[in-house]
């Protein structure tokens, strides 16, 4: 019994101290004490039921708490090393590996200790390992928060409710149509005999500010590089621009394409379409702006919208995870398609505090430095690959398709060089 009490005490101290070290600060959660170690108690009861007159109950409970001491110490050391020496993507995978290995190893140790002096391993022992590992894994997954000894300090500001999104205001919501009309009315008509560029830039997801910042910067780069000032439209979902910039929806995107198609000289002028947001495995570009429920943009929907707008010469760039899925639906002789990732790969950099995604920053730089689209593509692709390799991310493999007819046309007309002032 003394051994069990010592193991329980050490395990409790290590859990409390380790939790404080990981949390860095906070307040002690005394409510975690009653539920702590209940798995060890159940093992004690199970051991007593299996071998009522033997020492199996004490053995299992003592081993559970003693092994927990060493496993937790080993985890703390390994996690500290991972935080300092592993890339963020590998830290996540490491955490899940430890989460899964811990209960399996402990179940093997417990069953081995129980069966070794009692006839060795037989098939019931293997079944016991599987059941015990599953139970321990479920305990760690479903009751992790209940056993958390340290909680973040809850200051008064933590309980202040977030303000509602601006679109929840009726006066803002019902002026969106006027805002979109004003933006589209400002699009200048094309001049016959002069090849001009038109731009539509879309920041799709209001949940993170990186998309509206990237969209705004790319729009300004297009204005400066291709002279699209007065012929560029920005649509963006984010509370910081709600009420000043038209929101991005299927309706507003289709209306913008229709207007641009009507104003441009379709046989001469070129559309620059840039979309940045999250993307899904089924290749849907996310449009999100609570409290609205918005449908995303699929490759086929975008291809149909471009066709209905009768826009012939197109440069379409999609910055999103799995955006390579847009290439088959959009590629053609008169179209350039560039995407941030392959159809089965994620892209990176969509943190709320960032000004650009990895792909968006590489493209922004390349647009200001390179003369033609093949060179812009190569610099963008290489910059993304270098950054991902440096941070040990799985390569996103950006995609590029340059239609021969568009390539020949741009080779003759050329792209406008930097010089025009960006839009405000």
């Amino acid at each position: 019994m003394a051994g069990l009490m010592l193991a329980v005490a050490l395990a409790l101290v290590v859990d409390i101290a380790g939790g404080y070290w990981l949390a860095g600060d906070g307040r002690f959660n005394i409510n975690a004490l009653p539920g702590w170690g209940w798995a060890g108690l159940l093992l004690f009861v199970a051991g007593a039921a299996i071998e009522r007159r033997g020492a199996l109950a004490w053995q299992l409970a003592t081993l559970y708490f003693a092994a927990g001491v060493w496993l937790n110490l080993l985890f703390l050391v390994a996690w500290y090393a991972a935080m300092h020496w592993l890339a963020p993507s590998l830290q996540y995978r490491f955490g899940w590996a430890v989460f899964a290995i811990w209960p399996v190893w402990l179940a093997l140790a417990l069953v081995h200790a129980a069966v070794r002096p009692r006839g060795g391993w037989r098939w019931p022992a293997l079944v016991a390992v599987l059941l015990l590992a599953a139970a321990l894994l479920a305990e760690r997954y479903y009751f992790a928060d209940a056993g958390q000894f340290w909680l973040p300090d809850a200051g008064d500001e933590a309980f202040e409710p977030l303000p509602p999104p601006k679109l929840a205001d009726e006066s803002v919501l019902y002026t969106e149509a006027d805002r979109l009309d004003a933006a589209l009315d400002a699009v200048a008509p094309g001049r016959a005999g002069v090849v001009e560029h038109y731009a539509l830039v879309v920041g799709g997801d209001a949940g993170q500010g990186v998309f509206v910042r990237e969209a705004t910067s790319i729009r300004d780069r297009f204005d400066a590089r291709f002279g699209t000032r007065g012929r560029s439209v920005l649509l963006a979902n984010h509370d910081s621009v709600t009420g000043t910039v038209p929101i991005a929806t299927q309706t507003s995107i289709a209306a913008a394409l229709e207007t641009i198609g009507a104003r441009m000289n379709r046989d001469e002028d070129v559309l620059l379409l840039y979309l940045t947001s999250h993307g899904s495995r089924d290749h849907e570009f996310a449009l999100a702006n609570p409290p609205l429920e918005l449908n995303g943009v699929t490759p086929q929907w975008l291809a149909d919208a471009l066709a209905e707008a009768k826009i012939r010469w197109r440069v379409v760039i999609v910055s999103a995870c799995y955006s390579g899925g847009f290439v088959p639906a959009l590629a053609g002789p008169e179209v350039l398609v560039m995407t941030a990732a392959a159809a089965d790969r994620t892209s990176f950099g969509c943190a709320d505090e960032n000004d650009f995604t990895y792909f968006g920053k590489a493209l922004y730089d390349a647009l200001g430095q390179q003369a033609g689209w093949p060179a812009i593509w190569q610099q963008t692709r290489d910059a993304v690959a270098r950054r991902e390799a440096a941070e040990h991310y799985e390569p996103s493999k950006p995609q590029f398709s340059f239609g021969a007819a568009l390539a020949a046309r741009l080779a003759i007309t050329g792209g406008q060089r930097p010089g025009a002032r960006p839009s405000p």
Side-chain angles (χ1 to χ4, degrees), residues 194-197 225-227 268-270 272 315 370-374 376 402 406-417:
V194 180
V195 176
E196 296 172 310
H197 286 75
R225 170 65 189 270
F226 298 101
E268 299 175 340
D269 298 338
V270 180
L272 304 170
V315 173
Q370 298 299 331
W373 283 107
I376 291 169
F402 200 180
L406 180 61
R409 180 169 188 78
L410 294 180
I412 295 172
T413 62
Q416 290 181 258
R417 303 300 301 161

Side-chain angles (χ1 to χ4, degrees), residues 382-416:
D382 294 346
V384 169
R386 285 194 301 271
R387 187 168 183 180
E388 290 172 345
E391 299 184 19
H392 305 288
Y393 285 124
E394 183 181 33
S396 56
K397 295 186 177 181
Q399 301 292 297
F400 184 68
S401 172
F402 200 180
L406 180 61
R409 180 169 188 78
L410 294 180
I412 295 172
T413 62
Q416 290 181 258

Side-chain angles (χ1 to χ4, degrees), residues 158-171:
F159 296 96
E160 293 181 4
L162 293 175
K166 292 178 182 177
L167 274 176
D169 186 336
E170 184 178 5
S171 63

